[in-house]
Amino acid sequence: MITLTFCLFGALRQFDAGAPLILKLTEGANIAEVQHALCTELATRHPNFNQQALVAESAIANETEILRGDYHFTHDAQLAILPPVCGG
């Protein structure tokens, strides 16, 4: 098992309850699995959570880079969820 700790930004910040958002997942989990687990946890914490599409469109970054869709998690990590922004 690996431990992933998240910081929420942008429109998702409203779901930051002041407590760390921590997920325990199977080693080798990919980005889609992490996004799904994140949505499940946010819906558990916030019954009015309806931002699954926003999570799916958001980037996930570790301490050094934005992770690509084919990334697999093999160790514990601190992550940021970066929703898309509008602008020029």
Side-chain angles (χ1 to χ4, degrees):
M1 295 297 281
I2 57 170
T3 301
L4 304 177
T5 305
F6 294 88
C7 291
L8 305 177
F9 293 96
L12 294 173
R13 182 169 241 155
Q14 67 181 314
F15 299 105
D16 181 354
L21 200 156
I22 299 172
L23 297 178
K24 300 267 187 194
L25 296 171
T26 305
E27 183 176 333
N30 64 30
I31 294 290
E33 291 167 327
V34 169
Q35 289 171 322
H36 177 74
L38 181 61
C39 285
T40 300
E41 179 64 22
L42 287 170
T44 299
R45 290 183 179 204
H46 306 279
N48 63 339
F49 178 75
N50 62 355
Q51 300 293 324
Q52 291 83 356
L54 182 59
V55 171
E57 294 172 4
S58 296
I60 296 178
N62 64 19
E63 297 89 357
T64 60
E65 64 184 320
I66 293 176
L67 305 175
R68 295 175 23 162
D70 60 353
Y71 186 87
H72 291 269
F73 294 89
T74 58
H75 58 278
D76 296 351
Q78 298 257 53
L79 302 170
I81 306 300
L82 308 170
V85 294
C86 296

